[in-house]
Amino acid sequence: MLLFSRQGKLRLQKWYVPLSDKEKKKITRELVQTVLARKPKMCSFLEWRDLKIVYKRYASLYFCCAIEDQDNELITLEIIHRYVELLDKYFGSVCELDIIFNFEKAYFILDEFLLGGEVQETSKKNVLKAIEQADLLQESQNEDWGGLSEDIL
Amino acid sequence: MCVLLISGKSKEAEIKRINKELANIRSKFKGDKALDGYSKKKYVCKLLFIFLLGHDIDFGHMEAVNLLSSNRYTEKQIGYLFISVLVNSNSELIRLINNAIKNDLASRNPTFMGLALHCIANVGSREMAEAFAGEIPKILVAGDTMDSVKQSAALCLLRLYRTSPDLVPMGDWTSRVVHLLNDQHLGVVTAATSLITTLAQKNPEEFKTSVSLAVSRLSRIVTSASTDLQDYTYYFVPAPWLSVKLLRLLQCYPPPEDPAVRGRLTECLETILNKAQEPPKSKKVQHSNAKNAVLFEAISLIIHHDSEPNLLVRACNQLGQFLQHRETNLRYLALESMCTLASSEFSHEAVKTHIETVINALKTERDVSVRQRAVDLLYAMCDRSNAQQIVAEMLNYLETADYSIREEIVLKVAILAEKYAVDYTWYVDTILNLIRIAGDYVSEEVWYRVIQIVINRDDVQGYAAKTVFEALQAPACHENLVKVGGYILGEFGNLIAGDPRSSPLIQFNLLHSKFHLCSVPTRALLLSTYIKFVNLFPEIKTTIQDVLRSDSQLKNADVELQQRAVEYLRLSTIASTDILATVLEEMPPFPERESSILAKLKKKKGPGTVTDLEEIKKERSSDMNGSAEPTSVNSTPSPSADLLGLGAAPLTNSAPPPSSSGSLHPEPADTVHDADELFHKFVCKNNGVLFENQLLQIGLKSEFRQNLGRMFIFYGNKTSTQFLNFTPTVICSDDLHFLKQFLCLNLQTKPVDPTVDGGAQVQQVVNIECVSDFMEAPILNIQFRYGGTFQNLSVKLPITLNKFFQPTEMSSQDFFQRWKQLSNPKQEVQNIFKAKHPMDAEITKAKIIGFGSALLEEVDPNPANFVGAGIIHTKTTQIGCLLRLEPNLQAQMYRLTLRTSKEAVSQRLCELLSEQF
């Protein structure tokens, strides 16, 4: 799964098959180019090598998944949507900057939702509950250290 | 830092800023003061951020691993994230990471266990599989494992199974995993279904019981009210992800045997189809997407089972509705899904009813990927009844089609036209249209194939000749058309020559008017057409000879063209009409075989889809088509082997390029190779048997003096039957430019009697003049008819440079003086080689003398060595040669050194002599 901006800047990447860094970079470049070249009204699916690409644009960000021939395109489109909903709920109307500055959160949410390339938990409540619990753990520990969140970077 | 990076004006500024930050972090990590967990976490997180911006990170792994063993959740979490994103297979680190994971898995703390499992699933390496593949199933099925941990464990195991299936042992746990399909928690069921689906694909027996469980689970979901499943309902659709996964799992198995289960499943599928007709519960696209995702997966299952005609037709109708839906995504998927429906015998006819809609899609869709699907579907729904319409529409579309898919469309049109041709004139028209519309995308396979078919079908040859002749009238025609036209007129031009509008001369002039605009391979093909015309139309022989004789042909800079022109001209001059008729006979029919185009399409599309469709269709169409089916399932060798036959066919007086000689020459190039051994024997001797097989023996006697020689060749007929049309030709090897070789070596032969009686011997004399030094030996090509069969063989004629040696006696002093004069590194060639024969000094001496040089005694200080000297005589020059051969008895090796005033001569003599010992 790849997230990239309209300018082609990669914002989040998650690979569920082992690939070398070089291959990853090549694939990313190729996919970003292909998807950005498509016009708005075009369909959200395309064939690419022996995979199918499912993508959708939300504001300035493109969400893009590569799935296998047998996989279901529409449900993948809704996987993307559910992930966006999760981000949105967590950050409160999410924007590109949220994902840039809190990239670790974006990853943690993704891990709770998808694991090994498959849906782990489709309930929005359950995913967010897991994340909130972790945040609670974090904050209870942070008290000793002062405000951590502003300090991270 | 982030703010700085984002607002950085330029790329350089960003890199500068990052390098500064990296240096800072590096110094912190290396500093004397031990970092506390918090700072470590802070810097590791910064590194991660920098990495995600697209910069390389080559340190910090150790600090991240340290974080894993922290008891603080946030530190551990960042540590794991870093490892997941940035781990490489550094064995040292993997051991440490695995250790930390092991501790967390054993911690009984569900949050820590979750992190550890996520990390395994994200990295998924073989090392991790080795360490944990045994442990995870236990966690998965343990009674006291928390639901969220079970979910992670199931998917973690799935990931490890994908990377290293051999490391995940099947066992008791599998039956307990199957029962997770009954779990209360839908999240657990979802994760377990994914795992079971993947495992069941490889071990169907082991997971057979999952079918009935999956059916009952599915049934409960599809019949539930939309609120029953609470948070697992997505935009009014109950558990769409789980439904899709269950339907997917069922596609690992055939239809359930148990009638009750089967009935229940059919009910489910009907319910899903019914729901598609209900008005939407929400206008949101998410609602319709989720609902249709389940519907499409249900249709996939229906197609997979391919056993319920009623469901198949309903599915087809549903997809038909989608074909006109305003959502592009649905139109795309409907076209895709219908493609597979078209191959089911139950729904093929139903799919065909949508032909107009699909054709319309081809014309109006604005998205190329949707149009591509429409082309695929037309291809899949094509049969004898609609082939003409579909091919016509595809041809229409081709005129405006996107460049990226043109070649594929061309292949598809060519295949359909061939497969469903009742009337082969239609086929010929279609292919010529293809070339006209999209000539650049017509690959060799396509035009090869049209020629194959025309040659194999008498009934279409006249029509094909007439049609190509007409098509060639166009002022600008594609080169592929010239190729097809050239080939077909060369074979069948006589069929239309009766019409004064396409008389032989007009045909020839028409083709020749295209000649100068064509590439070299096409021109070579046209030259072959011309020589075929010489045979077909003797009345225009002189016109053609004039063309062949023109400077632009005979002195063409391209070797192949020049060679063809010279040889064809010669052939047309010396050969009798009988010989011409034999050599230039019409091509024999090609063996029936799988279409090379189909093979190409398969290669293009990958083996999966096309093969299946083709196989199924073949079965269906074979009844209608009977034996006329032009494609049969042989393996496909390279098409060029026989298709380019024509190119080589008339090249009989040359050593044919081995790849293209197959079709005409029953005994191709091996004979040349076979004779190599014998050839080498003749380097040091002049008389003997050069070649022998069951039919023919060839003996030689030769003598050489200075730059001249004479060779007697004796052809013995070993059989009791006459050889007819016996034609030996001495020609120069294709390695060298024909004319250059001609200048190097002047050979004159007298023709022999074309009939050789059984048991008789005929003699041929070759007069030889060495004009200048040469490399390749000439080739003797012999053709004759024996019984009804045409025989063709080629042997190398042992006329080698050393034959023109004159030995020179000289003293030791002279020898060394000359040896030193020839000390330029280019003049010396040396070869060290293993002895192939026993190392006998007397035999060696005899061979050196036989080679032609003088054997000089007492020159080399080492009496074991051999020294020789001589002069090569050519008409233009004389070349002095010195040689030294040093045997090494212990190693059974020789070192041979040649020094002459000419590099090429040193090289050639060294090669020839090295083969002798």
Side-chain angles (χ1 to χ4, degrees):
Chain A
M1 182 179 217
L2 297 177
L3 253 74
F4 50 87
S5 72
R6 231 164 53 185
Q7 290 76 36
K9 270 248 169 224
L10 192 60
R11 293 303 180 207
L12 180 143
Q13 48 176 323
K14 193 82 186 176
W15 304 84
Y16 297 107
V17 284
L19 289 168
S20 71
D21 285 351
K22 213 174 136 194
E23 285 170 299
K24 287 181 185 173
K25 278 192 176 153
K26 186 164 172 263
I27 293 174
T28 307
R29 212 169 35 236
E30 221 174 285
L31 277 183
V32 168
Q33 271 175 8
T34 317
V35 171
L36 287 181
R38 291 179 62 86
K39 298 191 189 83
K41 284 276 170 182
M42 285 184 161
C43 85
S44 314
F45 320 124
L46 55 119
E47 283 185 330
W48 180 79
R49 299 194 188 173
D50 51 351
L51 296 173
K52 298 189 288 196
I53 303 300
V54 177
Y55 72 93
K56 189 158 180 182
R57 185 177 147 190
Y58 288 87
S60 61
L61 273 186
Y62 282 89
F63 291 69
C64 177
C65 293
I67 57 175
E68 286 172 17
D69 190 45
Q70 298 289 314
D71 293 335
N72 190 309
E73 291 100 334
L74 284 174
I75 208 73
T76 311
L77 207 51
E78 293 319 299
I79 285 178
I80 292 176
H81 186 75
R82 170 96 328 164
Y83 182 49
V84 175
E85 283 183 351
L86 288 168
L87 293 173
D88 200 60
K89 186 95 177 178
Y90 181 80
F91 290 111
S93 47
V94 65
C95 68
E96 193 180 339
L97 284 181
D98 288 322
I99 294 171
I100 298 170
F101 291 126
N102 299 291
F103 69 91
E104 79 284 11
K105 294 290 178 214
Y107 276 94
F108 296 147
I109 295 173
L110 189 57
D111 273 350
E112 288 295 335
F113 177 44
L114 289 179
L115 193 60
E118 301 284 342
V119 177
Q120 173 170 227
E121 178 55 82
T122 65
S123 156
K124 199 153 65 172
K125 268 189 208 144
N126 288 353
V127 172
L128 291 174
K129 208 164 69 194
I131 297 292
E132 275 156 17
Q133 269 173 358
D135 283 352
L136 276 178
L137 271 175
Q138 181 170 332
E139 266 156 35
S140 65
Q141 287 168 352
N142 282 350
E143 281 158 16
D144 313 337
W145 297 92
L148 178 83
S149 34
E150 307 88 75
D151 210 15
I152 272 196
L153 282 161
Chain B
M1 178 187 166
C2 288
V3 176
L4 274 172
L5 287 177
I6 297 300
S7 61
K9 285 242 160 49
S10 64
K11 189 93 187 156
E12 290 93 70
E14 181 185 313
I15 290 173
K16 212 172 148 193
R17 181 73 186 82
I18 279 175
N19 284 338
K20 202 175 148 200
E21 191 59 38
L22 284 176
N24 177 35
I25 299 173
R26 208 186 288 267
S27 74
K28 294 279 187 207
F29 283 161
K30 285 200 174 148
D32 304 331
K33 211 176 74 183
L35 287 175
D36 55 45
Y38 167 70
S39 320
K40 232 184 253 173
K41 182 190 118 186
K42 183 169 92 179
Y43 293 124
V44 166
C45 199
K46 280 189 182 192
L47 284 179
L48 200 47
F49 183 81
I50 291 168
F51 173 77
L52 292 171
L53 283 175
H55 302 270
D56 292 330
I57 297 293
D58 55 2
F59 67 102
H61 298 79
M62 202 56 205
E63 286 72 16
V65 173
N66 285 340
L67 287 176
L68 295 184
S69 40
S70 163
N71 278 325
R72 293 189 172 275
Y73 177 74
T74 50
E75 289 167 17
K76 203 186 260 299
Q77 197 185 24
I78 291 294
Y80 273 124
L81 181 59
F82 187 93
I83 300 297
S84 304
V85 175
L86 257 153
V87 83
N88 49 26
S89 45
N90 181 327
S91 57
E92 184 65 15
L93 278 178
I94 290 283
R95 207 173 42 78
L96 292 170
I97 296 167
N98 283 355
N99 224 5
I101 292 176
K102 201 165 273 169
N103 290 336
D104 281 334
L105 284 182
S107 71
R108 324 288 301 156
N109 174 336
T111 324
F112 287 2
M113 287 174 87
L115 281 181
L117 288 168
H118 289 183
C119 180
I120 300 173
N122 282 328
V123 177
S125 65
R126 197 162 170 86
E127 289 87 351
M128 287 203 169
E130 275 163 4
F132 302 112
E135 186 62 25
I136 295 171
K138 291 180 202 152
I139 298 175
L140 178 58
V141 297
D144 57 347
T145 306
M146 298 258 300
D147 287 336
S148 64
V149 176
K150 269 190 201 163
Q151 286 165 276
S152 301
L155 296 179
C156 188
L157 190 57
L158 166 59
R159 171 71 197 262
L160 294 184
Y161 184 78
R162 280 193 182 139
T163 8
S164 324
D166 53 312
L167 294 179
V168 179
M170 298 294 123
D172 295 344
W173 61 274
T174 55
S175 60
R176 301 181 65 180
V177 167
V178 171
H179 279 95
L180 289 178
L181 290 176
N182 271 336
D183 202 282
Q184 295 276 316
H185 191 284
L186 282 188
V188 173
V189 185
T190 310
T193 311
S194 297
L195 174 64
I196 294 167
T197 305
T198 305
L199 294 175
Q201 280 161 356
K202 294 265 172 60
N203 319 277
E205 269 309 303
E206 196 101 17
F207 292 90
K208 226 170 144 183
T209 48
S210 64
V211 172
S212 61
L213 291 177
V215 170
S216 57
R217 188 94 228 188
L218 182 67
S219 165
R220 269 179 280 160
I221 296 171
V222 296
T223 54
S224 63
S226 55
T227 48
D228 287 357
L229 302 176
Q230 293 156 0
D231 208 33
Y232 289 92
T233 296
Y234 179 83
Y235 291 87
F236 304 102
V237 183
W241 283 280
L242 180 53
S243 307
V244 166
K245 279 175 190 293
L246 290 168
L247 289 162
R248 187 86 187 74
L249 168 59
L250 291 171
Q251 287 172 62
C252 300
Y253 292 95
E257 280 161 22
D258 181 342
V261 178
R262 191 171 174 154
R264 205 165 178 198
L265 177 58
T266 308
E267 261 170 46
C268 284
L269 296 171
E270 276 168 349
T271 312
I272 295 171
L273 285 168
N274 291 341
K275 278 190 181 172
Q277 297 300 326
E278 289 170 10
K281 295 198 174 75
S282 154
K283 286 219 167 71
K284 290 242 160 100
V285 67
Q286 283 75 29
H287 170 69
S288 82
N289 277 353
K291 192 167 135 184
N292 293 326
V294 178
L295 177 62
F296 274 106
E297 204 61 54
I299 291 175
S300 294
L301 180 62
I302 292 169
I303 296 172
H304 170 78
H305 284 169
D306 197 15
S307 61
E308 300 272 354
N310 174 37
L311 288 177
L312 280 162
V313 171
R314 279 193 70 183
C316 186
N317 294 339
Q318 183 59 54
L319 294 177
Q321 286 180 19
F322 284 152
L323 284 182
Q324 313 205 44
H325 202 279
R326 60 186 166 77
E327 275 278 326
T328 316
N329 288 344
L330 285 181
R331 295 198 302 275
Y332 177 95
L333 294 174
L335 288 167
E336 186 184 61
S337 213
M338 250 195 196
C339 238
T340 37
L341 265 183
S343 60
S344 160
E345 55 173 321
F346 300 116
S347 49
H348 182 79
E349 288 303 315
V351 170
K352 272 168 63 185
T353 59
H354 299 287
I355 183 166
E356 297 300 336
T357 320
V358 183
I359 287 171
N360 199 38
L362 201 56
K363 290 176 179 159
T364 56
E365 282 293 347
R366 275 184 298 177
D367 183 345
V368 52
S369 43
V370 185
R371 291 196 297 269
Q372 166 90 61
R373 292 283 82 81
V375 171
D376 288 347
L377 178 54
L378 284 179
Y379 180 74
M381 66 162 71
C382 191
D383 63 19
R384 204 160 281 265
S385 72
N386 56 18
Q388 300 231 356
Q389 184 188 9
I390 286 178
V391 165
E393 291 296 345
M394 281 185 163
L395 277 173
N396 260 339
Y397 173 55
L398 195 52
E399 307 222 23
T400 53
D402 311 74
Y403 296 111
S404 56
I405 58 176
R406 279 194 182 186
E407 191 184 353
E408 202 184 310
I409 297 175
V410 167
L411 289 174
K412 286 185 165 152
V413 169
I415 291 168
L416 293 177
E418 176 185 335
K419 193 172 197 167
Y420 298 117
V422 186
D423 173 3
Y424 275 84
T425 59
W426 172 68
Y427 170 74
V428 170
D429 286 340
T430 304
I431 301 295
L432 292 182
N433 261 331
L434 267 188
I435 295 175
R436 185 178 55 77
I437 296 168
D440 287 343
Y441 299 90
V442 173
S443 55
E444 285 185 333
E445 287 84 353
V446 174
W447 71 264
Y448 286 173
R449 189 69 187 159
V450 68
I451 285 169
Q452 275 189 351
I453 286 176
V454 169
I455 284 180
N456 289 9
R457 303 194 67 93
D458 305 345
D459 52 335
V460 75
Q461 288 163 356
Y463 181 80
K466 181 165 163 281
T467 317
V468 290
F469 176 79
E470 279 163 9
L472 283 169
Q473 308 277 347
C477 48
H478 195 272
E479 193 167 328
N480 278 333
L481 179 66
V482 179
K483 289 181 188 162
V484 175
Y487 202 120
I488 288 182
L489 292 179
E491 296 291 324
F492 309 113
N494 53 329
L495 299 177
I496 56 167
D499 187 329
R501 287 167 300 176
S502 51
S503 71
L505 190 60
I506 295 178
Q507 284 186 37
F508 174 75
N509 285 338
L510 179 60
L511 282 176
H512 198 56
S513 69
K514 317 281 182 195
F515 187 90
H516 304 279
L517 299 170
C518 291
S519 64
V520 168
T522 307
R523 280 196 253 169
L525 187 148
L526 285 178
L527 287 178
S528 298
T529 303
Y530 299 168
I531 190 71
K532 288 227 155 193
F533 274 174
V534 168
N535 176 43
L536 288 180
F537 312 126
E539 64 267 39
I540 58 167
K541 181 172 166 180
T542 49
T543 316
I544 291 171
Q545 282 177 329
D546 286 345
V547 168
L548 291 176
R549 203 177 284 123
S550 70
D551 278 358
S552 61
Q553 309 298 352
L554 274 193
K555 294 186 182 165
N556 196 294
D558 185 88
V559 186
E560 178 67 27
L561 292 181
Q562 187 187 66
Q563 186 173 344
R564 285 194 187 207
V566 169
E567 289 168 358
Y568 292 165
L569 179 59
R570 195 84 190 115
L571 183 68
S572 71
T573 322
I574 58 167
S576 65
T577 18
D578 280 355
I579 294 175
L580 272 182
T582 313
V583 172
L584 302 172
E585 211 172 15
E586 192 181 297
M587 291 297 284
F590 291 94
E592 290 291 326
R593 64 154 61 124
E594 183 183 24
S595 158
S596 48
I597 316 175
L598 199 53
K600 172 144 185 172
L601 186 67
K602 280 183 192 165
K603 209 168 84 193
K604 230 175 126 60
K605 294 290 279 183
T609 50
V610 185
T611 326
D612 297 344
L613 281 176
E614 284 316 313
E615 290 309 311
I616 295 160
K617 282 233 175 146
K618 197 191 296 294
E619 280 166 27
R620 187 166 346 99
S621 60
S622 56
D623 324 326
M624 304 185 258
N625 228 354
S627 56
E629 182 74 43
T631 56
S632 71
V633 240
N634 274 332
S635 64
T636 310
S638 140
S640 61
D642 48 39
L643 278 160
L644 281 181
L646 175 86
L651 270 176
T652 41
N653 62 343
S654 149
S659 68
S660 50
S661 62
S663 62
L664 199 71
H665 306 307
E667 265 189 278
D670 358 349
T671 42
V672 178
H673 190 252
D674 207 12
D676 258 18
E677 282 288 296
L678 286 166
F679 172 81
H680 287 302
K681 290 204 173 122
F682 278 92
V683 169
C684 295
K685 65 175 190 175
N686 288 331
N687 307 326
V689 172
L690 176 66
F691 173 84
E692 184 156 11
N693 67 8
Q694 287 173 327
L695 305 178
L696 180 71
Q697 185 192 57
I698 304 171
L700 292 184
K701 254 188 189 173
S702 45
E703 53 192 24
F704 295 89
R705 210 180 57 246
Q706 299 199 321
N707 71 320
L708 299 175
R710 176 178 295 156
M711 181 178 271
F712 297 89
I713 310 175
F714 301 95
Y715 305 100
N717 181 345
K718 289 170 69 184
T719 72
S720 51
T721 318
Q722 266 189 344
F723 291 164
L724 295 172
N725 299 339
F726 187 85
T727 5
T729 328
V730 178
I731 38 160
C732 294
S733 150
D734 55 344
D735 280 19
L736 258 198
H737 199 291
F738 188 87
L739 286 183
K740 187 175 168 230
Q741 181 79 63
F742 186 78
L743 287 173
C744 297
L745 201 57
N746 188 1
L747 303 176
Q748 287 177 338
T749 54
K750 293 194 178 114
V752 295
D753 192 333
T755 311
V756 185
D757 287 331
Q761 193 180 58
V762 294
Q763 177 193 328
Q764 186 179 32
V765 184
V766 184
N767 286 316
I768 307 155
E769 182 187 27
C770 177
V771 181
S772 68
D773 59 285
F774 62 97
M775 299 298 123
E776 288 298 314
I779 287 188
L780 174 65
N781 174 261
I782 300 148
Q783 298 176 4
F784 56 95
R785 274 188 181 275
Y786 165 71
T789 61
F790 177 74
Q791 303 287 325
N792 182 331
L793 56 95
S794 297
V795 282
K796 268 196 208 170
L797 214 48
I799 302 174
T800 49
L801 187 56
N802 64 300
K803 298 293 178 192
F804 306 95
F805 244 133
Q806 287 292 113
T808 321
E809 294 293 340
M810 59 178 80
S811 67
S812 172
Q813 198 188 349
D814 286 347
F815 183 88
F816 282 110
Q817 194 189 342
R818 283 165 210 235
W819 185 262
K820 278 176 200 141
Q821 282 167 359
L822 297 170
S823 57
N824 185 326
K826 285 195 165 181
Q827 294 168 330
E828 180 185 287
V829 172
Q830 196 170 68
N831 187 16
I832 298 170
F833 54 93
K834 213 152 182 70
K836 290 192 273 291
H837 305 286
M839 297 173 78
D840 182 313
E842 290 310 310
I843 295 177
T844 306
K845 283 179 186 168
K847 280 186 173 164
I848 291 176
I849 292 169
F851 191 62
S853 69
L855 183 72
L856 304 180
E857 306 276 358
E858 292 169 12
V859 169
D860 200 302
N862 180 348
N865 294 345
F866 306 92
V867 171
I871 295 167
I872 299 278
H873 288 258
T874 74
K875 190 178 173 188
T876 50
T877 174
Q878 299 188 348
I879 303 151
C881 309
L882 303 175
L883 67 89
R884 184 181 188 217
L885 180 70
E886 300 159 272
N888 181 338
L889 281 169
Q890 266 173 335
Q892 290 285 303
M893 303 276 283
Y894 287 102
R895 178 162 70 187
L896 174 64
T897 314
L898 253 299
R899 283 192 179 186
T900 78
S901 51
K902 210 168 167 185
E903 189 186 5
V905 173
S906 303
Q907 185 67 46
R908 180 61 181 156
L909 292 177
C910 186
E911 279 168 26
L912 287 168
L913 193 55
S914 295
E915 289 296 326
Q916 299 305 316
F917 302 105

